[in-house]
Amino acid sequence: ANSHPLQRTRGASFSNSILGSTVERGASAEAEVSTISAETATRSASDDVRESSASDNDTPPSPGLEENSKFDCDESVQYWRDFQSDGFWPAEENVREIGNIGSRFAQLGAKGMRYWLRHAGRSGYFAVNALLGNAGFLLHERLVNNKETTFTGALPFNMDSSIASRLFLEAALSYEQDYAKVSAGDYREPWDMKPNHRQSSLINVATQTGRFVSEAIGTLGRRGRGEQKDKDIWITDAASPSLYPDYYRTAFHYQGDGWMSKKSADVYETSTETLFLGRQDAMQRTSLPPIVAHVDSIAGRRPMKVLEVACGTGRFMTFVRDNLPLDTEYTAVDLSPYYLDAARENDSYWRQRRREEENRNGGDVGRNDIKPARLVQAQAENLPFDDESFDAVVCVYLYHESPRGIREKVSAEMARVLKQGGSLVLTDSIQRGDRPSLDAGLANFENMNEPYYVDYCQDDLPGHFERNGLEPMTKIVRSTTKSLSFSKPVSGVAEGDAE
């Protein structure tokens, strides 16, 4: 019943959590139980829309399904919709399918096997982090607070082997789909796979694991209590600068200090990838194809101008920049000065590594030949840029942490600063209807101090952009993240004049 994921899927998606710890700008646990199987797609998007329309009027909307008729949907949309839709697999079957994926990678030669081993090891590392974080929390509660918790097993959230194995299978499938894109030339092999990357050093591994375990102890404790004081951070005070709007003044996911400390920024990437068992990068990379495809319309005429809204620590920014011409002018916006500082450092390290790579391959790239990203502290709903300033705009994992009215304003702002003929990419959590087998559990994410998530899951995302003059283009799904792309039509003026 399983068709080959390399042939059938191309998408991206959000993901469920392993631990309730610090999470990326929108990345964290979505439902504590996720599904991961692959059944043959049997129904078209139009059939599904008719089925939805005939449903009871009291049923919550399923925007993830209803929007499909507006987009050129990748095969991955139906693939993940049908994924283990007839029932979750037992652990033995999940493990068997993971083995099959490894065998398929082995048939792809040395390059494919190198990718698989790197990413399988990646998932193993983050799984160990999850176990250590859970164990640390249990010990802390018993020895320091002298009390038992509702989490009594070795696995986080008392999950059983079936759930745990499904999470590993979902990671493996995400890697297989990611590599299919690399093989098809849609984007480059992840630059962090290169030898001697700093994230592979033993010192870095030990440091980040220690940071994560410490953060997990605090996060799980705050989540268990769920009191108002556990949601407050220092900018919760009404006297804090007006730069920080009310919806931002909370500790999303119960993470320490919310987005507002260096400690939070330092553990951010490790925490999010632990939550996703290492597949977050692969899910986010579904944002890349529409941006990379836009390069050809500009190449040779002038540098491409790209804006990333809510860039966080800038890790995803480095993957975008690594797939664009080296003269690209990249601007990234975030509201947290601590995360912007981390983004500045990530950008510097990527530029150093890319310069070294180019020169090893016979290039002559000087220290200043790859411009640093322009990093700006600003609200996404009030972008400090002129109209039609950017060829491409990308936003990852912001919308589910924003009230609906703010989503509307952010959409209008991103549409405003996008050039005519430009591409806009929105990547975020799946919604109701994207994967029906997960619909009932999506609301659980609200328990992670995600006050806007339930409303997000029922929001008409393309409508925000259509009301601002953009046209839906493509949709991709991978695991529990989806990526929607839009274009801004060119009006009666010639493109050169518009620019």
Side-chain angles (χ1 to χ4, degrees):
N2 296 340
S3 50
H4 199 304
L6 282 176
Q7 298 171 342
R8 300 190 60 237
T9 61
R10 307 183 210 170
S13 96
F14 196 68
S15 166
N16 328 319
S17 69
I18 291 293
L19 268 182
S21 176
T22 306
V23 278
E24 168 116 81
R25 183 70 75 251
S28 77
E30 191 168 279
E32 291 173 2
V33 177
S34 83
T35 60
I36 309 170
S37 81
E39 302 278 21
T40 304
T42 57
R43 291 184 299 182
S44 67
S46 58
D47 290 337
D48 288 334
V49 170
R50 288 193 294 270
E51 173 189 312
S52 175
S53 299
S55 63
D56 190 277
N57 291 334
D58 294 333
T59 302
S62 297
L65 169 62
E66 295 159 3
E67 71 190 10
N68 287 348
S69 60
K70 297 182 177 182
F71 291 93
D72 178 8
C73 291
D74 186 85
E75 293 171 337
S76 62
V77 174
Q78 192 66 46
Y79 177 90
W80 286 101
R81 178 172 170 77
D82 292 335
F83 205 48
Q84 284 191 5
S85 58
D86 293 335
F88 299 152
W89 291 356
E92 295 78 8
E93 194 164 353
N94 290 327
V95 171
R96 185 181 305 113
E97 183 58 24
I98 294 171
N100 291 338
I101 293 171
S103 297
R104 291 197 290 267
F105 267 106
Q107 297 171 13
L108 298 175
K111 185 177 179 181
M113 200 59 188
R114 182 178 70 249
Y115 176 100
W116 169 245
L117 291 175
R118 283 257 183 183
H119 284 78
R122 177 186 183 87
S123 283
Y125 164 69
F126 289 115
V128 170
N129 276 356
L131 294 174
L132 291 175
N134 189 66
F137 170 67
L138 295 177
L139 285 173
H140 183 271
E141 291 298 285
R142 291 171 185 169
L143 300 179
V144 177
N145 294 333
N146 195 30
K147 66 178 183 180
E148 297 294 327
T149 74
T150 55
F151 302 150
T152 57
L155 297 178
F157 295 124
N158 297 329
M159 67 175 64
D160 59 24
S161 60
S162 176
I163 296 172
S165 61
R166 287 202 302 271
L167 294 174
F168 275 106
L169 175 55
E170 189 153 343
L173 287 168
S174 296
Y175 298 149
E176 190 169 28
Q177 294 163 7
D178 185 49
Y179 189 73
K181 287 292 192 182
V182 173
S183 298
D186 290 346
Y187 48 79
R188 284 165 51 95
E189 184 178 70
W191 74 278
D192 65 337
M193 283 183 53
K194 301 292 191 299
N196 301 318
H197 190 286
R198 65 183 180 184
Q199 69 185 15
S200 301
S201 75
L202 292 178
I203 293 177
N204 179 73
V205 167
T207 299
Q208 290 304 109
T209 295
R211 286 172 174 169
F212 172 76
V213 171
S214 175
E215 174 67 11
I217 292 171
T219 299
L220 290 174
R222 289 185 289 272
R223 179 185 184 273
R225 293 187 301 268
E227 299 174 3
Q228 185 58 45
K229 66 179 182 180
D230 297 309
K231 302 176 183 179
D232 291 343
I233 55 177
W234 65 268
I235 62 168
T236 303
D237 193 310
S240 296
S242 59
L243 173 65
Y244 305 111
D246 288 343
Y247 70 85
Y248 194 78
R249 300 170 183 250
T250 189
F252 287 103
H253 326 117
Y254 290 109
Q255 64 185 28
D257 302 316
W259 308 118
M260 295 301 294
S261 74
K262 183 179 185 300
K263 179 181 177 182
S264 170
D266 285 344
V267 75
Y268 167 91
E269 295 168 11
T270 303
S271 294
T272 57
E273 284 292 17
T274 298
L275 293 170
F276 294 110
L277 278 180
R279 69 182 178 270
Q280 177 176 267
D281 283 350
M283 294 191 298
Q284 289 184 337
R285 283 194 288 266
T286 53
S287 310
L288 293 176
I291 302 173
V292 175
H294 196 67
V295 171
D296 290 341
S297 65
I298 299 168
R301 294 191 292 118
R302 57 172 176 77
M304 185 174 181
K305 297 181 179 180
V306 178
L307 171 66
E308 182 177 350
V309 177
C311 68
T313 62
R315 180 173 173 84
F316 175 67
M317 171 179 69
T318 66
F319 290 111
V320 181
R321 296 202 70 185
D322 200 53
N323 280 275
L324 298 178
L326 296 183
D327 65 350
T328 296
E329 297 176 5
Y330 201 98
T331 302
V333 166
D334 202 273
L335 200 47
S336 169
Y338 306 98
Y339 280 66
L340 282 172
D341 190 50
R344 180 172 60 87
E345 203 282 329
N346 272 330
D347 182 65
S348 175
Y349 184 65
W350 170 78
R351 286 185 289 114
Q352 172 195 330
R353 296 281 296 186
R354 184 59 189 270
R355 185 170 62 247
E356 293 170 353
E357 177 188 348
E358 293 293 321
N359 292 337
R360 279 196 307 270
N361 294 329
D364 185 20
V365 179
R367 186 178 185 84
N368 299 317
D369 289 345
I370 306 177
K371 294 182 180 179
R374 179 188 180 194
L375 301 172
V376 179
Q377 184 186 21
Q379 298 173 358
E381 62 269 34
N382 188 23
L383 297 173
F385 309 114
D386 293 337
D387 294 356
E388 300 190 4
S389 298
F390 300 97
D391 301 293
V393 177
V394 61
C395 178
V396 179
Y397 294 160
L398 169 67
Y399 273 39
H400 77 271
E401 291 189 342
S402 306
R404 187 172 299 208
I406 297 299
R407 289 177 222 137
E408 183 71 29
K409 291 179 180 179
V410 174
S411 304
E413 280 292 273
M414 292 196 294
R416 177 183 65 81
V417 302
L418 183 66
K419 288 178 179 286
Q420 295 184 35
S423 296
L424 185 150
V425 180
L426 174 71
T427 299
D428 214 302
S429 165
I430 57 170
Q431 299 174 283
R432 286 186 55 84
D434 281 313
R435 291 181 63 180
S437 59
L438 292 183
D439 282 354
L442 290 179
N444 293 336
F445 190 37
E446 196 169 42
N447 297 330
M448 290 295 297
N449 193 30
E450 282 285 359
Y452 314 111
Y453 188 74
V454 171
D455 178 72
Y456 165 83
C457 288
Q458 301 179 28
D459 194 8
D460 173 19
L461 296 182
H464 290 302
F465 297 96
E466 291 174 304
R467 286 188 289 275
N468 287 285
L470 303 192
E471 297 178 351
M473 297 299 290
T474 62
K475 176 178 178 177
I476 303 175
V477 174
R478 184 172 300 157
S479 179
T480 45
T481 290
K482 66 177 176 183
S483 185
L484 308 176
S485 73
F486 302 84
S487 67
K488 187 171 187 177
V490 177
S491 62
V493 255
E495 184 178 351
D497 295 335
E499 292 173 357

